[in-house]
Amino acid sequence: MAAFFIDKEFLPMGLMDGKNALIFGLANNKSIAWGITQKLHAEGATLGLSYAIPQLEKRVFPLAEEVGCTFVERADANNDDELDAVFAKAKNTFGRLDVLVHAIAYAEREDLAGNYVDTSRKGFITALETSAYSLVALARRAAPLMTDGGSIITLSYYGAEKVMPRYNVMAIAKAALECSVRYLAAELGPSGIRVNAISAGPIKTLAASGIAGFRTMLKYSEEAAPLRRLVTQEDVGNTALWLASDLGSAVTGETIYVDAGYNILGLTMTHEQREMFNLE
Ligand code: 0WE
């Protein structure tokens, strides 16, 4: 049996052929942004990548090379001049933009540890500015480049909707983000631009590292979720690909759960608890 291989670049009919995607929030190979980047690349997208701080350079540049990407820019999502520079470069490099991925969030570490009632004014503003306003800042700059319609995708978490221990001010930021998705979808819809959020189950990324009890949360989520497994960066990438491509046509303003079904449950149990109550 003869076997031969064709380089991906030469395979016809990728879902993202001829589409340009700008992805914000890449940190390392555990990033959700990296899971999305790989899926869009595999289907033929031309990519631009952006990361937050110089310390991430040594992780981000090798990843960009892996997907043949030469558009790699550092930008602080809270700095208007730096965002203007990235979008000016996107306009020069791509001309037209089809996809914007917003995978950015930040709250002060101390605000993800204690009680929500103790959140400082500054901590609240920081979390909402970096995690929610940044989507508006990016969407406003991306929309004029989406001359053939487009897809804007952001990342959320179930804590926006139901109380999760210690998610605190990030939950309020994600609630604002999900609502922002609806307002942006309504305004940009007439221009053929869709705006959606993916609400992902917990994933071990750099952003999640060092959060007290995160490992326990992962174990519990895995046991309780209907699919009895955790969610991977690849799972999120698959849904992002659907929303980014023409497969997602007519889907806008939504928060799509990619959480192994966790959010549908009214009562969550561990394996041990189900055994105890003869439920499995
Ligand atoms: O949205 C997130 C985390 C975002 C995040 C993480 C950090 C850690 C480092 C935002 N800001 C910071 N600031 C830091 O200094 N997730 C969905 C992951 C996450 O974070 C949690 C979770 C889950 C899940 C925090 C507490 C409880 C659950």
Side-chain angles (χ1 to χ4, degrees):
M1 184 69 180
F4 62 94
F5 301 92
I6 304 170
D7 193 293
K8 259 207 292 284
E9 318 271 334
F10 299 107
L11 280 172
M13 300 282 277
L15 286 169
M16 299 298 293
D17 282 348
K19 288 195 196 279
N20 303 316
L22 198 48
I23 298 171
F24 287 80
L26 193 59
N28 60 30
N29 65 346
K30 298 287 190 293
S31 296
I32 293 176
W34 178 235
I36 296 171
T37 299
Q38 287 173 291
K39 290 290 174 178
L40 299 187
H41 170 69
E43 293 295 328
T46 299
L47 301 168
L49 303 173
S50 181
Y51 60 98
I53 52 173
Q55 292 90 309
L56 298 173
E57 241 170 63
K58 62 181 188 297
R59 301 264 183 273
V60 169
F61 276 94
L63 294 176
E65 193 170 322
E66 251 187 73
V67 291
C69 173
T70 52
F71 186 123
V72 192
E73 291 295 309
R74 192 203 58 77
D76 175 348
N78 295 337
N79 184 318
D80 285 320
D81 295 334
E82 293 183 14
L83 294 184
D84 284 341
V86 176
F87 281 89
K89 180 169 171 173
K91 186 177 180 171
N92 283 333
T93 311
F94 303 138
R96 190 195 72 252
L97 194 62
D98 302 288
V99 176
L100 171 71
V101 176
H102 171 274
I104 295 169
Y106 180 76
E108 303 285 355
R109 185 172 287 277
E110 66 189 58
D111 289 326
L112 297 174
N115 296 321
Y116 176 63
V117 75
D118 293 323
T119 306
S120 67
R121 187 181 304 275
K122 183 166 167 290
F124 187 97
I125 290 168
T126 295
L128 270 93
E129 181 183 21
T130 314
S131 312
Y133 181 75
S134 60
L135 176 69
V136 186
L138 295 188
R140 185 169 62 253
R141 289 167 172 87
L145 305 185
M146 293 179 156
T147 51
D148 196 23
S151 173
I152 298 176
I153 300 165
T154 186
L155 274 303
S156 192
Y157 180 59
Y158 192 42
E161 200 177 323
K162 298 291 180 187
V163 174
M164 299 297 249
R166 305 289 177 249
Y167 198 56
N168 297 2
V169 72
M170 269 309 303
I172 286 73
K174 291 300 194 188
L177 181 75
E178 290 182 11
C179 194
S180 196
V181 160
R182 292 187 284 272
Y183 275 76
L184 291 170
E187 284 186 1
L188 301 179
S191 306
I193 299 169
R194 298 180 290 104
V195 188
N196 295 285
I198 296 173
S199 185
I203 301 180
K204 186 107 175 66
T205 64
L206 185 62
S209 71
I211 288 166
F214 196 79
R215 272 171 51 115
T216 312
M217 272 199 50
L218 288 179
K219 176 98 169 41
Y220 187 80
S221 303
E222 182 174 9
E223 286 195 31
L227 294 179
R228 303 281 190 269
R229 70 170 182 88
L230 287 170
V231 166
T232 65
Q233 289 86 342
E234 190 180 358
D235 292 319
V236 178
N238 282 331
T239 291
L241 171 62
W242 158 55
L243 290 170
S245 74
D246 294 341
L247 292 179
S249 59
V251 179
T252 195
E254 294 295 326
T255 297
I256 309 284
Y257 284 96
V258 179
D259 67 347
Y262 187 92
N263 78 92
I264 68 167
L265 299 173
L267 179 71
T268 60
M269 278 187 269
T270 61
H271 171 72
E272 187 179 64
Q273 288 168 327
R274 272 190 301 267
E275 274 192 331
M276 188 155 42
F277 296 113
N278 281 318
L279 291 168
E280 83 182 9

